[in-house]
Amino acid sequence: MLTLTMRPLAIATETDLEAIANLLNTCEQVDRLDAGTSVSELRTEFDEPSLDKARDIRLWEDADSKLIGFGELGIPESGEVIDGWLWYRVHPSARGGSLEKEIFAWGEQRMREVGLERGVRVQLRCHVRDDKPYYITVAESCSFRADRYFLTMERSLAEPIPEAQFPAGFTLRDAGHQDAEAWVEMYNQTFIDHWNHHDITVDPVKYSLTTPNYKPELDLVAVAPDGTFAGFCYCAIHPEDNDRTGRKEGWIGILGTRRGFRKMGLARAMLLSGMQQLKAAGMDTAKLGVDTQNPNNASQLYESVGFRKVYSSMSYVKDV
């Protein structure tokens, strides 16, 4: 029987970061989720301004002070219903006992606190790949149910990429640091009618612009003739991930068209522009994730330019 101690990550010391990275990478050797990490990547993640490390990260250590469990919650800043997303890992040698349920119980309790503080209904969610039975079993044993399904897709950039065709009067440029407020307003207006949307705020976006892997040339916006930000394609390259896997992959991280500018071909033009930028940056493959019930049939757009399914995943949820 393991004797466990749970504690918050109030201050992310170098020792803690090294222990967390070691745990996550040990789990990755078993799970094969392309979820390895490093101390520098963790530091960037934990410094994100909307993350309350003292309340939203927990560490579980054994009697020898060895880290064997990790839990982190992503909690939106606003919404009529607040969905907290739980991301966790348990050392392979400690799986199948009580620790997983303890981590989920912590997540549920933390979300109840959020519900009381904000006076809103709350839910706890976790994202699970459909080819990873351990994580499915854990979620279902904690009375979570799958309620939404997603695809991860990829497309070789060695194949020809069609030329992007923009509507007359629209221009393509990078968003730029000076445009954070306009970008946030566009994002919120674009996804307000999408599943699980929560408005974002400017500070986390401004922080993302300062992170080591941010590249302005991969942060694209389509500007309407009147100057409105009408569509966007935010791409990302994670060099350390690519170093670990030996691949050259880039991500179409966020693609959207503002309401009132849809059905004009903007999404396709922005997608193709993002793919061209990833190829120009030396990537061999473009990847993306898509909601299978996307209201604008995004998966059909992706298939039309050559993207194909790599794997499926589910969002598991529990009202708490």
Side-chain angles (χ1 to χ4, degrees):
M1 185 68 140
L2 283 171
T3 300
L4 302 177
T5 302
M6 178 181 73
R7 66 179 175 90
L9 186 72
I11 300 174
T13 67
E14 200 72 10
T15 299
D16 282 334
L17 291 173
E18 290 173 357
I20 295 168
N22 182 63
L23 172 63
L24 302 189
N25 290 329
T26 299
C27 293
E28 173 60 19
Q29 292 175 11
V30 173
D31 298 330
R32 300 299 179 189
L33 288 164
D34 288 342
T37 193
S38 67
V39 167
S40 61
E41 289 169 291
L42 289 173
R43 187 181 295 109
T44 297
E45 177 185 342
F46 293 165
D47 284 345
E48 206 277 327
S50 65
L51 177 65
D52 185 343
K53 292 190 292 294
R55 304 181 75 186
D56 299 336
I57 296 178
R58 285 293 183 273
L59 309 178
W60 282 261
E61 296 167 330
D62 65 13
D64 298 320
S65 299
K66 178 183 177 181
L67 183 66
I68 62 168
F70 172 83
E72 178 180 353
L73 276 168
I75 304 175
E77 296 177 89
S78 64
E80 295 180 3
V81 178
I82 300 296
D83 297 273
W85 288 87
L86 176 65
W87 195 89
Y88 73 98
R89 289 292 184 267
V90 171
H91 194 283
S93 66
R95 292 180 178 180
S98 61
L99 180 51
E100 290 93 343
K101 289 189 176 181
E102 187 173 334
I103 293 173
F104 272 72
W106 163 72
E108 292 179 34
Q109 180 57 38
R110 173 69 183 114
M111 290 311 299
R112 291 190 194 101
E113 293 175 2
V114 172
L116 289 172
E117 290 170 1
R118 303 189 193 180
V120 296
R121 185 165 71 89
V122 293
Q123 300 179 133
L124 184 61
R125 290 187 174 275
C126 62
H127 201 76
V128 181
R129 269 177 52 168
D130 68 354
D131 59 348
K132 303 299 177 183
Y134 161 72
Y135 289 97
I136 294 173
T137 299
V138 170
E140 293 181 351
S141 71
C142 294
S143 301
F144 282 63
R145 59 181 174 84
D147 73 334
R148 201 79 175 189
Y149 298 83
F150 302 84
L151 301 178
T152 294
M153 308 178 78
E154 68 178 15
R155 199 263 203 197
S156 169
L157 297 175
E159 300 296 321
I161 302 172
E163 189 74 21
Q165 301 292 329
F166 285 86
F170 285 76
T171 56
L172 175 71
R173 65 176 178 87
D174 65 65
H177 286 243
Q178 73 276 14
D179 296 316
E181 289 82 1
W183 195 96
V184 166
E185 191 268 342
M186 171 183 59
Y187 177 96
N188 290 335
Q189 287 300 310
T190 296
F191 292 119
I192 194 170
D193 55 354
H194 284 54
W195 177 80
N196 200 237
H197 169 70
H198 298 278
D199 277 0
I200 62 172
T201 57
V202 172
D203 284 348
V205 172
K206 285 186 174 179
Y207 175 73
S208 72
L209 302 178
T210 69
T211 56
N213 294 334
Y214 175 77
K215 297 183 181 299
E217 64 271 22
L218 299 179
D219 187 4
L220 305 174
V221 293
V223 184
D226 66 358
T228 301
F229 279 17
F232 58 116
C233 182
Y234 176 85
C235 304
I237 296 171
H238 306 292
E240 292 185 81
D241 275 349
N242 286 339
D243 288 344
R244 283 187 287 267
T245 63
R247 301 192 290 263
K248 293 182 178 180
E249 296 177 341
W251 285 83
I252 306 292
I254 312 172
L255 179 75
T257 304
R258 182 196 287 266
R259 291 179 300 166
F261 293 93
R262 295 172 182 168
K263 309 300 182 184
M264 301 171 62
L266 272 179
R268 179 183 175 87
M270 295 303 297
L271 174 61
L272 294 174
S273 298
M275 292 162 61
Q276 291 282 13
Q277 291 299 96
L278 289 173
K279 182 175 183 176
M283 297 300 102
D284 296 331
T285 305
K287 299 183 79 170
L288 54 80
V290 60
D291 178 356
T292 60
Q293 295 167 258
N294 177 280
N296 300 311
N297 298 314
S299 58
Q300 292 182 15
L301 167 63
Y302 300 142
E303 289 171 356
S304 75
V305 299
F307 280 86
R308 296 293 179 263
K309 172 187 169 182
V310 182
Y311 57 81
S312 302
S313 56
M314 302 88 75
S315 167
Y316 273 83
V317 64
K318 182 178 182 179
D319 288 311
V320 297

